[in-house]
Amino acid sequence: MSMDEDTIQDRRREHEEETVKQRAAILGFPYLDMRQLEATTPLIATLMSIDEMYRAHIVPLYEGGGEKPFEFGATPLTPQSLIQAMRQDYTERGHLIKFFLISESAYKAMMLRFDPPKRIVHDDIEIAREGDSETIAAVSQTLEKVSSEEVFDFLIDQADKLGASDIHLENERDNIRIRMRIDGALHPVAHLSRDRYRVIMGELGSRANISAAAQESQSGHMQKDITRDNSTHLLNIRVETVPTMYGQDAVLRLFNFDESMLNLDLLGIPDEQRKQIDEIIHHPRGLVLMVGPTGSGKSTTLYSILNALNTLDRKLITLEDPIEYGISGIAQIPINSTAGQTFGDGLRSVLRLDPDVVMVGEIRDQDTAKTAIQASITGHLVLSSFHANSTSAAFSRMIDLIGVNPIFSTAIRLLIAQRLVRRLWDDSKEPYDPDEATKSYVRSVLQNLPEHIERPNLDTFKLYRPVPTDDVPFGYKGRIVLMEMMVINDAISEFLRGGVADAQTDKIESTARASGMLTLEQVGVLAALRGETTLEEIARVI
């Protein structure tokens, strides 16, 4: 409830209490303001039944005896005949009795404590395996039973419980399909009736500030506290909607905000690559670019680097569209690109604030690229993300944006291309001998590995496949980070100086590999040989 709504409710209650106070004077009853008492007054269940309290609009307040009167809270709706009958009954039994006039709101608050609403516990949502229509039907039935007030919160709570990163609501001709992305893969969950969908879209509209009837795509944001196992965490939810043939499709992206989880130590980065990141953190200057598609974990890695840099002697500023995680100690500035704001303009503004570290949510255009480069030359560390498939493609595209310039050659320090792949469940995974075609593929990818990389035996290696269990239905649990890291050395910076005539992606990659860089595909295949994931996952993601 917003502050304005709170104020309106307070005014209504104040008006109601004044009215009851005047009514009490007319009826000759003492008036009792219950606003400070209705949550703490002890409940007395021995004097009246719940049904009697409902019928008479009356609640017991104090169990007397001897010289102390029994006390009751009556409302303007309590029949006077009942009050007279109770006076007579208690007097005949030798007891004192006293009635106070209380407001209807106070009575309702007390009755919520005497007779709390029954909470229905619904079955948890299960993710269906391929071809399992019975589970989808059962979940669909559960969602139809959940009350209109609860269905939206129930869906988000269950998605969080399953560890889903996205909820997809997709309009089809006869119903609404719900899918959830878990560990990077989309799974069908249920089919929803249009009545249920309208309830969810209505809640989305009010909470994320979007219109359920809009004819254009929209973006919104909301937060929700999730309580589980006696602890609470904050869920940031980005909402994207787009009109389709049958109605508005919506995607809810869930960000489980836990600042302690934004930690480089928890990302499972291999030692060699972690040393390169630590080098940047200990000498913060230059430009660091994270590249990869949506959902590849770029934001988590960037925020974790920011958190490692977040010390009392540094000023950190971020420019984000939108802000995904709120981190204490960092000045975070939203950039509303739909309203015409740009990262380039925002970056020029924040550089006047003398920051040590700046994170730019995304470099999208030449202006932002040049401003970021200029900032990194003048002693700032600039972190940003960039859309490209690989570090080499990103470096080539960056040269297209900023042009060949010797001054810029020392600005870019590190490019990281990242993907997330599903991790095999160690307790059930199964080794197998690959066929000759697979062996040939692995050998071709891993030929000419840098000398510092431990070489697997390419004649006798085994691969692993997932084996589903009751607890881990797909044989995968969690994800691992795959990183391709290009450290910009003299050979690579020659492309920016103009020393190499043709800055094509393949030439840049060859130069980087000669300097010891592992490509994403190599990193992925090595992870598959270690039994951390599968070649199928590498093919799906890379």
Side-chain angles (χ1 to χ4, degrees), residues 494-522:
E494 274 298 309
F495 290 97
L496 258 177
R497 291 193 193 96
V500 181
D502 190 6
Q504 293 296 319
T505 299
D506 55 349
K507 285 192 175 182
I508 295 170
E509 184 175 298
S510 297
T511 305
R513 289 182 66 177
S515 302
M517 184 187 82
L518 288 177
T519 66
L520 268 173
E521 190 175 20
Q522 289 175 322

Side-chain angles (χ1 to χ4, degrees), residues 24-319:
I26 294 170
L27 294 175
F29 285 105
Y31 160 73
L32 181 61
D33 186 343
M34 290 284 292
R35 277 175 285 188
Q36 304 300 319
L37 304 172
E38 58 198 28
T40 57
T41 298
L43 299 183
I44 301 162
T46 55
L47 300 180
M48 305 181 80
S49 69
I50 299 293
D51 285 344
E52 287 173 324
M53 295 181 207
Y54 276 126
R55 282 199 304 270
H57 277 254
I58 195 170
V59 287
L61 299 176
Y62 181 76
E63 187 170 9
E67 295 182 0
K68 294 183 178 179
F70 288 78
E71 296 178 356
F72 292 85
T75 75
L77 296 177
T78 305
Q80 291 296 311
S81 57
L82 176 81
I83 292 174
Q84 294 300 330
M86 287 180 67
R87 279 190 200 279
Q88 185 175 344
D89 177 49
Y90 273 74
T91 302
E92 287 175 355
R93 290 191 282 129
H95 296 307
L96 300 174
I97 187 170
K98 186 174 183 179
F99 291 93
F100 295 92
L101 200 66
I102 64 174
S103 67
E104 189 70 14
S105 292
Y107 162 77
K108 287 177 180 176
M110 289 294 289
M111 289 308 297
L112 274 176
R113 292 178 59 209
F114 273 111
D115 186 30
K118 307 293 184 292
R119 179 158 180 81
I120 300 170
V121 178
H122 298 284
D123 293 335
D124 285 340
I125 287 177
E126 288 185 30
I127 299 297
R129 301 184 190 185
E130 192 170 343
D132 181 6
S133 58
E134 288 184 11
T135 297
I136 293 175
V139 175
S140 303
Q141 198 171 19
T142 296
L143 285 172
E144 293 298 336
K145 289 178 181 175
V146 179
S147 71
S148 297
E149 295 80 15
E150 291 182 303
V151 65
F152 180 78
D153 288 327
F154 177 72
L155 194 60
I156 292 176
D157 181 75
Q158 289 291 301
D160 177 76
K161 193 170 189 177
L162 288 164
S165 58
D166 311 305
I167 305 171
H168 293 244
L169 305 170
E170 302 161 319
N171 284 268
E172 297 182 327
R173 187 174 67 178
D174 299 321
N175 52 40
I176 311 298
R177 179 173 68 173
I178 299 180
R179 293 192 292 173
M180 291 184 185
R181 190 180 297 280
I182 299 172
D183 291 336
L186 268 176
H187 299 286
V189 171
H191 291 104
L192 202 64
S193 70
R194 295 200 173 272
D195 286 344
R196 303 267 92 182
Y197 181 68
R198 277 191 283 271
V199 172
I200 289 176
M201 287 304 292
E203 285 293 315
L204 268 183
S206 61
R207 297 195 199 186
N209 196 27
I210 61 172
S211 168
Q215 296 301 308
E216 64 279 333
S217 37
Q218 302 169 91
S219 296
H221 176 263
M222 56 176 283
Q223 293 183 325
K224 178 171 168 51
D225 285 318
I226 301 286
T227 302
R228 184 168 292 110
D229 300 327
N230 297 320
S231 65
T232 300
H233 62 267
L234 180 65
L235 206 59
N236 274 308
I237 304 168
R238 278 174 62 180
V239 180
E240 304 289 341
T241 68
V242 63
T244 68
M245 182 176 181
Y246 296 113
Q248 279 206 77
D249 281 12
V251 176
L252 282 65
R253 299 193 65 198
L254 313 181
F255 298 91
N256 181 351
F257 176 68
D258 183 347
E259 198 171 317
S260 66
M261 297 300 290
L262 301 175
N263 187 328
L264 287 170
D265 294 336
L266 301 177
L267 298 184
I269 302 169
D271 291 342
E272 187 72 24
Q273 296 179 324
R274 177 62 190 271
K275 285 176 187 173
Q276 292 165 340
I277 294 177
D278 286 343
E279 163 71 14
I280 297 295
I281 292 170
H282 288 104
H283 304 282
R285 60 171 181 77
L287 177 65
V288 176
L289 284 179
M290 288 289 306
V291 304
T294 300
S296 60
K298 298 191 302 294
S299 294
T300 301
T301 301
L302 280 174
Y303 277 110
S304 298
I305 294 173
L306 273 179
N307 238 357
L309 289 160
N310 189 8
T311 56
L312 291 175
D313 59 338
R314 293 193 184 107
K315 185 174 182 69
L316 282 71
I317 299 179
T318 70
L319 300 164

Side-chain angles (χ1 to χ4, degrees), residues 445-456:
V445 171
L446 297 183
Q447 66 180 345
N448 301 322
L449 279 178
E451 291 183 4
H452 66 278
I453 299 298
E454 185 179 342
R455 295 166 180 271

Side-chain angles (χ1 to χ4, degrees), residues 288-362:
V288 176
L289 284 179
M290 288 289 306
V291 304
T294 300
S296 60
K298 298 191 302 294
S299 294
T300 301
T301 301
L302 280 174
Y303 277 110
S304 298
I305 294 173
L306 273 179
N307 238 357
L309 289 160
N310 189 8
T311 56
L312 291 175
D313 59 338
R314 293 193 184 107
K315 185 174 182 69
L316 282 71
I317 299 179
T318 70
L319 300 164
E320 304 174 61
D321 178 19
I323 295 171
E324 291 178 0
Y325 302 100
I327 303 179
S328 52
I330 297 177
Q332 296 174 264
I333 300 171
I335 297 293
N336 187 356
S337 56
T338 57
Q341 292 180 298
T342 69
F343 282 114
D345 292 338
L347 183 54
R348 275 187 288 274
S349 298
V350 302
L351 288 175
R352 301 187 196 111
L353 302 178
D354 190 29
D356 296 291
V357 182
V358 181
M359 187 184 88
V360 181
E362 187 181 345

